[in-house]
Amino acid sequence: MGNILLSAADLSAGIKEKQILSKINLEIKPGETHILLGPNGAGKSTLGNVLMGHPSYTVNSGKIIFSGEDITEYSPDKRAKLGMFMTFQSPIEIPGITVTKFIRSAMEQITGKRQNLFQVRKTMEEKMKLLNMDFSYADRDLNVGFSGGERKKAEILQLLMLEPKFAILDETDSGLDVDAVRTVSKGIEAYQQKDDGALLIITHSTKILESLKVDYAHVLVKGHIVETGGAELVEEINKNGFERFLTA
């Protein structure tokens, strides 16, 4: 596998009897940022969920390799412990568990070590300043009463605190205003400064990508990756949309 962090080889998957992804081939190295673009319904979120091991989806053929290990049959929590992370389009409310408790517990589950509460809160405060989050959110139940923008910031806060090897960001810019997109982008930029941290950013927009380093872009149409390129592919889609790929 060499220096490949995550590899999907001839990956076909779906939900129940419906196949959504077909023969997906993807290789991501440490430190790389990959963008997955495509029209609504192309299967972008499905790919993220399949890579993360969502139990509603079934891998029909192919393999997922992470850090040299075949994880195709692994549960989401086992993948998380190996260093995988995923944000969601619509983060759910978790009553009774504060943001601090949630993050501290996740850090302990991943590292297998007890985390000092004072140090966790100190680090959280630093990261929350970067995200323009009031520190009072640290003591609020996770996502309960949060606006859409606050929920997305809370997820990027988790990304910065957990420092995974590989993160899948699913429509992180969805529903955010321009200022919130800029703030979330700052958080993603901070993660990119982690030399070996790799990203797969799933989006149908390009707003969140304007200030980010992009290594590769992939266009997904009807469950197939129809083209792969660099940052120039993002620029083309920003100008012309997906029409060329839909009519090919």
Side-chain angles (χ1 to χ4, degrees):
M1 292 295 294
N3 198 35
I4 304 299
L5 177 63
L6 180 132
S7 171
D10 289 328
L11 184 66
S12 296
I15 188 166
K16 294 182 179 178
E17 303 300 319
K18 182 181 179 182
Q19 181 161 302
I20 301 171
L21 303 175
S22 182
K23 300 288 184 181
I24 299 293
N25 288 287
L26 184 66
E27 290 187 344
I28 300 176
K29 296 180 180 179
E32 289 184 343
T33 295
H34 289 239
I35 310 302
L36 186 65
L37 296 152
N40 289 331
K44 302 186 300 298
S45 294
T46 294
L47 178 55
N49 282 311
V50 169
L51 292 177
M52 200 64 211
H54 194 299
S56 295
Y57 296 87
T58 301
V59 173
N60 299 317
S61 62
K63 290 183 178 181
I64 305 168
I65 308 295
F66 184 72
S67 291
E69 192 169 343
D70 187 343
I71 64 167
T72 311
E73 302 298 328
Y74 284 12
S75 62
D77 66 306
K78 193 167 184 179
R79 298 183 200 213
K81 288 178 181 179
L82 288 175
M84 296 179 68
F85 174 91
M86 184 174 179
T87 68
F88 299 94
Q89 291 185 38
S90 302
I92 64 170
E93 295 185 354
I94 305 182
I97 300 178
T98 66
V99 173
T100 299
K101 185 175 181 180
F102 181 86
I103 290 176
R104 185 188 184 202
S105 176
M107 292 171 70
E108 291 179 341
Q109 289 293 317
I110 290 168
T111 64
K113 298 177 182 178
R114 188 73 173 167
Q115 298 294 311
N116 180 275
L117 179 59
F118 174 80
Q119 187 58 52
V120 169
R121 288 177 67 84
K122 182 180 177 182
T123 306
M124 277 181 59
E125 187 171 14
E126 294 171 0
K127 307 299 185 186
M128 291 172 83
K129 284 180 181 176
L130 176 68
L131 295 169
N132 290 328
M133 288 184 75
D134 191 286
F135 191 58
S136 64
Y137 279 86
D139 297 314
R140 291 179 58 176
D141 289 357
L142 183 61
N143 295 328
V144 176
F146 287 21
S147 68
E150 289 162 349
R151 293 185 185 208
K152 298 297 177 74
K153 288 180 184 180
E155 289 209 307
I156 299 302
L157 174 63
Q158 294 165 44
L159 170 69
L160 296 177
M161 290 295 295
L162 299 177
E163 296 187 322
K165 295 179 184 176
F166 173 62
I168 304 165
L169 308 184
D170 187 11
E171 304 280 4
T172 302
D173 54 345
S174 176
L176 300 186
D177 62 29
V178 173
D179 290 336
V181 168
R182 286 199 194 100
T183 300
V184 168
S185 292
K186 283 183 182 179
I188 299 171
E189 279 185 275
Y191 173 80
Q192 284 186 320
Q193 292 171 13
K194 174 180 161 61
D195 291 338
D196 58 349
L199 284 167
L200 177 63
I201 301 176
I202 301 171
T203 185
H204 59 77
S205 175
T206 58
K207 290 187 297 181
I208 201 167
L209 309 177
E210 291 176 359
S211 60
L212 300 179
K213 174 183 72 72
V214 173
D215 295 296
Y216 295 96
H218 312 276
V219 180
L220 190 71
V221 176
K222 295 181 180 178
H224 299 264
I225 292 179
V226 296
E227 187 155 343
T228 292
E232 74 283 349
L233 187 55
V234 176
E235 293 174 9
E236 179 193 340
I237 291 169
N238 195 34
K239 291 179 181 177
N240 304 316
F242 296 106
E243 186 174 357
R244 174 170 75 85
F245 309 102
L246 297 175
T247 57

